[in-house]
Amino acid sequence: MKEKILEKASDMFLNLGFKSVTMDDLANEMGISKKTIYTHFENKTRLVQECTFCLFNQINSGIDLICATGKNPIEELYDIKKFVISHLKDEKSSPQYQLQKYYPRIFDNLREKQYELMQQCTVSNIKRGLELGIYRENLNIEFISRIYISGVAGIKDGRFFPEGNFSPKELQDYFLEYHLRGIVTPKGRKILNDIIDSTHE
């Protein structure tokens, strides 16, 4: 039952927001009593915490599986982007904003874990791209990985990219292409162009 509650709560939080969904809403949606929920989660904060870290672990595992397929680093980044978007329901900005505003400690803890994971992934991706000759050999790996991660966070900032001006998917597409065009070799550019052309067909 605990797993079912986590699954349903995660779905509702991502679609409606962490503050918007009450324990009553969740109980009604599942056709169970609030008491049943409280048997597994002492309060809503605990439920939010477990949902966010459960989701983080699922995404982490999915990214590991993608990296294990051995695709070239450019394809790998596109596959990861597609996977994360589908897992986060196109990630509306409202849930993230509500998590940051109403559960700041959970938000900060989660962001720290995300940063560590992204740093490892990005550094590994750049190193492989260099080995394969599809990324430029004079890259400063530390700088590129950090600027990429700050950009991923930046496109989620409503002050710079107000909701309604771009869809989350458009922003991800534009940003990933922007990042890759700055670091690819001519060989890498051909792979990138082929991927972009195939997604526009």
Side-chain angles (χ1 to χ4, degrees), residues 9 13 17 34 43 47 55 59 63 74-75 80 82 108 142 149 156 159 166 190 195-197:
F13 286 148
K34 262 202 308 188
N43 52 42
L47 176 61
L55 199 58
I59 289 172
I63 290 173
I74 297 174
E75 284 183 287
I80 289 172
K82 206 182 304 176
D108 288 342
E142 192 66 21
I149 292 165
K156 292 177 183 172
R159 292 169 302 174
F166 302 92
K190 183 177 184 327
I195 291 172
I196 290 169
D197 289 345

Side-chain angles (χ1 to χ4, degrees), residues 5-6 8-10 12-13 16-51 103:
I5 294 170
L6 268 178
K8 176 51 78 174
S10 297
M12 292 178 75
F13 286 148
L16 304 167
F18 289 93
K19 174 73 172 170
S20 307
V21 177
T22 65
M23 295 299 240
D24 283 314
D25 294 334
L26 180 59
N28 291 337
E29 186 71 23
M30 294 190 71
I32 59 176
S33 69
K34 262 202 308 188
K35 190 178 172 186
T36 306
I37 298 174
Y38 284 120
T39 305
H40 298 283
F41 304 96
E42 56 189 314
N43 52 42
K44 187 181 170 187
T45 301
R46 185 74 189 171
L47 176 61
V48 168
Q49 184 175 8
E50 292 210 28
C51 280
Y103 302 95

Side-chain angles (χ1 to χ4, degrees), residues 120-133:
Q120 289 167 10
C121 263
T122 309
V123 167
S124 167
N125 181 277
I126 295 169
K127 284 180 176 174
R128 283 207 309 119
L130 289 168
E131 285 164 15
L132 293 170

Side-chain angles (χ1 to χ4, degrees), residues 160-167 170-171:
F160 301 124
F161 298 97
E163 206 173 346
N165 285 24
F166 302 92
S167 73
E170 273 181 330
L171 279 175

Side-chain angles (χ1 to χ4, degrees), residues 83-97:
F83 171 75
V84 171
I85 284 179
S86 71
H87 231 72
L88 293 179
K89 323 276 186 204
D90 215 13
E91 202 185 3
K92 303 175 182 72
S93 60
S94 172
Q96 181 174 301
Y97 168 77

